[in-house]
């Protein structure tokens, strides 16, 4: 009896799989003949996602996106279809246009509030579907903040890539300077009223000053940013920038100013219970100005902080490295 039941279930699953595949084949044929039709493309992409073919679904969305004129993102249905990918590239025309179009991404309500439970469940699934990528597949009438977040995060990521030092083989290394890209990102930032624009503006300005070897101007920007309390500038970013300057013949007067700035950050960090260890940087700065006693003291303090961290979290660090 059990064997017959399992056989019946297996046959049913095979029939369902075959039906689903036939449905996909039919939708693909329809899509190939109507690639510019939004509803056809969406129907096919949704079917691919339900079948677990996420990469193929993404390809359909990107193909449609590649055919869209940039002004079409102002259309609600188009934006909902492409919003996971449309603002990925800060150097694209649609990214530039998106900064202008944000204010238009609020549409009239058209959904039927009296829909069936199945309709409501489908809308709820859509709402949560894209949250892993920072977007919602739901049909909310107001997408202005979502678009603002996508554009702000995309621009911030690219500024990080071009303007924030990386820690490599025991030292901080500044990314290669690309004047054309820096100019383009500056243009985008100046065009829009984006999130965290002050932090992004500081990083762009510091990158330009670093490239011109205007060390005093770098300190001006960092000092002002710290006075403003810009959290994204404090911590590892300040440590990275000043460490790069130390390794590139930091001027004595600049080193003295840097010591004052970093000591102020130490006071704030300790008062707030933060986790940035500024003492190794301070040790290098004191050594640059010839203050050996404070250089040794800060080195010992930095070592003590790291030793305490390893005692508390060493097993966790080891496990992360092994994985």
């Amino acid at each position: 009896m059990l064997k017959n039941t399992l056989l019946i279930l297996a046959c049913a699953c095979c029939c369902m799989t075959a039906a689903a595949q036939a449905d996909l084949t039919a939708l693909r044929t329809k899509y190939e003949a109507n690639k510019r039709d939004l509803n056809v493309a969406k129907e096919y992409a949704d079917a691919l996602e339900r079948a677990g073919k996420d990469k193929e679904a993404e390809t359909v969305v990107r193909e449609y996106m590649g055919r869209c004129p940039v002004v079409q993102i102002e259309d609600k249905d188009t934006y909902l279809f492409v919003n996971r990918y449309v603002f990925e590239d800060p150097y694209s025309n649609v990214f530039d246009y998106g900064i202008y179009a944000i204010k238009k991404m609020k549409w009239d309500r058209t959904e039927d509030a009296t829909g069936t439970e199945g309709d409501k469940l489908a809308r709820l699934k859509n709402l949560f579907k894209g949250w892993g990528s920072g977007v919602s597949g739901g049909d909310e009438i107001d997408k202005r903040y979502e678009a603002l977040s996508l554009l702000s995060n995309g621009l911030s990521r690219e500024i990080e890539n071009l303007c924030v030092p990386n820690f490599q083989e025991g030292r901080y290394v500044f990314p290669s300077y690309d004047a054309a890209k820096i100019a383009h990102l500056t243009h985008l930032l100046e065009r829009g009223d984006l999130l965290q624009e002050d932090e992004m503006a500081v990083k762009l300005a510091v990158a330009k000053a670093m490239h011109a070897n205007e060390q005093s101007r770098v300190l001006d920007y960092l000092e002002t940013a710290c006075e403003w309390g810009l959290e994204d500038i404090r911590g590892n970013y300040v440590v990275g920038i000043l460490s790069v300057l130390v390794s590139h013949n930091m001027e004595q007067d600049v080193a003295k100013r840097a010591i004052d700035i970093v000591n102020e950050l130490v006071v704030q960090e300790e008062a707030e219970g933060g986790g940035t260890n500024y003492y190794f940087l301070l040790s290098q700065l004191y050594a640059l100005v010839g203050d050996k006693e404070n250089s040794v003291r800060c080195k010992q303090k930095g070592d003590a902080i790291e030793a305490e961290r390893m005692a508390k979290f060493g097993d966790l660090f080891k496990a992360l490295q092994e994985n």
Side-chain angles (χ1 to χ4, degrees):
M1 182 68 177
L2 178 60
K3 184 177 180 181
N4 289 337
T5 301
L6 291 175
L7 184 60
I8 292 170
L9 288 173
C11 290
C13 288
C14 288
C15 290
M16 291 173 63
T17 302
Q21 187 58 48
D23 185 46
L24 277 178
T25 301
L27 288 174
R28 177 178 178 80
T29 300
K30 184 178 178 183
Y31 168 70
E32 291 292 345
N34 301 276
K35 287 190 173 183
R36 292 182 180 275
D37 188 308
L38 173 61
N39 291 327
V40 171
K42 186 177 186 306
E43 184 182 19
Y44 183 41
D46 287 346
L48 286 168
E49 281 192 353
R50 289 194 299 271
K53 299 178 181 293
D54 292 340
K55 287 295 183 184
E56 291 91 334
E58 178 181 335
T59 298
V60 171
V61 178
R62 290 187 181 278
E63 283 182 352
Y64 185 84
M65 189 170 71
R67 297 184 183 93
C68 282
V70 294
V71 295
Q72 200 167 329
I73 62 168
E74 295 177 22
D75 171 67
K76 176 182 177 181
D77 292 330
T78 300
Y79 176 76
L80 289 174
F81 187 48
V82 303
N83 59 356
R84 273 180 284 180
Y85 315 110
V86 70
F87 296 136
E88 282 181 338
D89 181 7
Y91 304 103
S92 65
N93 291 336
V94 70
F95 194 100
D96 196 344
Y97 187 79
I99 292 175
Y100 159 78
I102 290 173
K103 59 183 179 291
K104 297 187 175 185
M105 292 183 180
K106 185 176 187 298
W107 300 280
D108 293 332
R109 185 177 296 279
T110 57
E111 65 267 23
D112 182 5
T114 63
T116 66
E117 288 301 317
D119 292 336
K120 293 176 182 178
L121 180 60
R123 287 199 297 271
L124 189 60
K125 286 181 178 178
N126 258 337
L127 182 64
F128 290 106
K129 182 174 65 175
W131 279 14
S133 54
V135 302
S136 163
D139 55 359
E140 306 98 302
I141 63 170
D142 194 337
K143 287 287 190 178
R144 290 174 295 179
Y145 186 77
E146 177 181 289
L148 175 65
S149 297
L150 291 173
L151 289 161
S152 299
N153 292 338
L155 186 57
S156 179
R157 278 194 302 271
E158 187 60 14
I159 289 174
E160 292 276 322
N161 291 337
L162 292 177
C163 303
V164 177
N166 300 303
F167 194 70
Q168 301 174 7
E169 299 179 354
R171 66 190 185 97
Y172 282 95
V173 178
F174 202 81
S176 298
Y177 189 79
D178 189 319
K181 287 185 176 181
I182 292 291
H184 178 74
L185 299 178
T186 302
H187 158 76
L188 292 176
L189 189 62
E190 290 172 348
R191 280 199 65 197
D193 186 14
L194 301 176
L195 305 175
Q196 293 186 310
E197 60 181 6
D198 290 335
E199 287 89 340
M200 289 191 276
V202 168
K203 290 173 183 177
L204 286 167
V206 167
K208 295 171 189 175
M210 293 278 284
H211 178 66
N213 195 32
E214 296 177 345
Q215 297 185 11
S216 183
R217 192 151 63 95
V218 171
L219 267 289
D220 290 341
Y221 294 138
L222 294 181
E223 188 171 29
T224 300
C226 292
E227 288 174 356
W228 287 350
L230 300 182
E231 293 297 327
D232 203 31
I233 300 301
R234 290 167 48 179
N236 289 337
Y237 176 74
V238 166
V239 172
I241 292 294
L242 294 180
S243 296
V244 170
L245 288 182
V246 167
S247 65
H248 287 76
N249 302 315
M250 179 183 272
E251 299 159 6
Q252 287 281 305
D253 59 331
V254 173
K256 291 175 182 177
R257 285 184 62 196
I259 287 172
D260 292 337
I261 292 172
V262 177
N263 272 318
E264 180 62 31
L265 290 175
V266 168
V267 172
Q268 295 176 20
E269 195 80 3
E270 293 180 349
E272 297 169 6
T276 303
N277 186 350
Y278 290 103
Y279 285 100
F280 294 127
L281 173 60
L282 272 175
S283 177
Q284 293 177 304
L285 291 170
Y286 278 121
L288 267 180
V289 299
D291 189 341
K292 185 176 180 180
E293 181 180 347
N294 272 319
S295 178
V296 171
R297 176 183 63 81
C298 288
K299 174 67 166 57
Q300 291 172 343
K301 179 70 173 175
D303 286 337
I305 290 173
E306 293 306 312
E308 183 179 355
R309 285 179 180 170
M310 287 303 297
K312 287 183 178 179
F313 309 113
D315 291 341
L316 176 60
F317 293 152
K318 184 179 178 181
L320 291 173
Q321 289 173 353
E322 289 175 352
N323 293 332

